Amino acid sequence: MGTTSINNSFFIQQLKKGKETAYEALFNLYFKKLHYFSCQYINNDEDANEIVQNTFYKLWKKRHKLSTDINLNAYLFAIVKNECLDYLKHQKIKSQYKNQIESEINLINQESLQDNPSLLLIEKELHDKVNQLIEQLPPVCKDIFIKSRFNGLKHKEIAEELSISQKTVEAQITKALKFLRHELQEYMGFFL
């Protein structure tokens, strides 16, 4: 009988008796090796730690069923390998699920961007309402707002064209926007 089988047999007997010192000795002897081995599979230090800790937890739970002639080294590495493979399968399923969810969200977003008759009706109603409200603006405010928002003129250009200050242009646009926001509150929920 070699020293390895004597050590295996001794450790297994001690584990079966519930000797935590044997468990701690095995943990200290194998943890770094098993962690390194686990990292070769999953390449994630934190998850590798958890896998190795689960391995030792399983060893402790199954200590009564261990045969005194098993090779502890091979046994522990086999558990780690199986845990890593389970982890990778789980990650693959998680990734597939995430991709499926993202795909469904994209599909929903695409469908929502398509012409929906009720949204088109609300959009037309909103367009008509905006035009009515613009007509209600005071003449100077209306003129400045139209030049800014519909004709694409900059504040400086509007100020020069109307011979007023840029501050006046900004104030009139702010006034128009405030009025429109207040009057269009009922529509805001549809387009946010």
Side-chain angles (χ1 to χ4, degrees), residues 7-171:
N7 287 342
N8 279 338
S9 178
F10 172 77
F11 276 118
I12 292 168
Q13 287 172 2
Q14 296 299 304
L15 287 173
K16 284 184 169 203
K17 291 177 185 176
K19 300 286 185 179
E20 292 180 15
T21 53
Y23 178 79
E24 289 172 18
L26 284 173
F27 185 89
N28 292 331
L29 184 65
Y30 281 100
F31 186 86
K32 286 183 182 178
K33 296 174 194 174
L34 294 172
H35 179 265
Y36 177 79
F37 180 70
S38 180
C39 282
Q40 301 308 303
Y41 276 93
I42 62 170
N43 200 20
N44 181 317
D45 189 59
E46 191 175 310
D47 291 337
N49 271 337
E50 191 172 325
I51 285 171
V52 175
Q53 288 173 2
N54 284 342
T55 298
F56 280 101
Y57 175 73
K58 285 183 178 185
L59 174 68
W60 184 254
K61 279 189 74 163
K62 295 180 180 183
R63 69 186 183 276
H64 299 295
K65 297 177 184 175
L66 294 175
S67 170
T68 53
D69 61 348
I70 68 161
N71 181 333
L72 273 176
N73 187 60
Y75 181 75
L76 291 171
F77 277 91
I79 293 174
V80 169
K81 179 181 177 184
N82 290 333
E83 289 280 320
C84 288
L85 294 175
D86 287 346
Y87 170 88
L88 292 172
K89 285 179 200 169
H90 181 70
Q91 292 299 86
K92 184 177 179 184
I93 290 168
K94 242 168 77 172
S95 176
Q96 288 172 343
Y97 179 73
K98 182 181 174 193
N99 289 341
Q100 181 183 354
I101 294 295
E102 287 174 357
S103 180
E104 288 174 9
I105 288 171
N106 287 337
L107 181 63
I108 289 168
N109 287 338
Q110 285 176 348
E111 287 176 1
S112 69
L113 292 175
Q114 292 177 354
D115 293 341
N116 181 327
S118 59
L119 283 178
L120 289 175
L121 182 63
I122 293 169
E123 195 175 316
K124 183 189 177 325
E125 189 179 314
L126 177 63
H127 184 267
D128 292 345
K129 181 77 171 174
V130 168
N131 286 336
Q132 288 172 2
L133 291 172
I134 290 172
E135 289 302 317
Q136 293 176 23
L137 290 170
V140 173
C141 185
K142 174 183 164 186
D143 188 32
I144 291 172
F145 185 78
I146 289 172
K147 288 179 187 302
S148 170
R149 294 304 195 253
F150 296 108
N151 299 343
L153 296 178
K154 295 181 178 168
H155 294 186
K156 184 178 180 181
E157 294 171 325
I158 297 168
E160 289 173 1
E161 186 178 318
L162 299 177
S163 301
I164 57 176
S165 73
Q166 283 188 48
K167 290 284 185 194
T168 303
V169 172
E170 291 169 11

Side-chain angles (χ1 to χ4, degrees), residues 126 129-130 133-134 136-137 145 173-189:
L126 177 63
K129 181 77 171 174
V130 168
L133 291 172
I134 290 172
Q136 293 176 23
L137 290 170
F145 185 78
I173 291 172
T174 301
K175 180 180 176 181
L177 289 173
K178 185 176 179 182
F179 172 74
L180 290 172
R181 274 191 210 105
H182 180 267
E183 295 297 319
L184 296 171
Q185 282 180 346
E186 64 182 286
Y187 292 95
M188 292 303 179

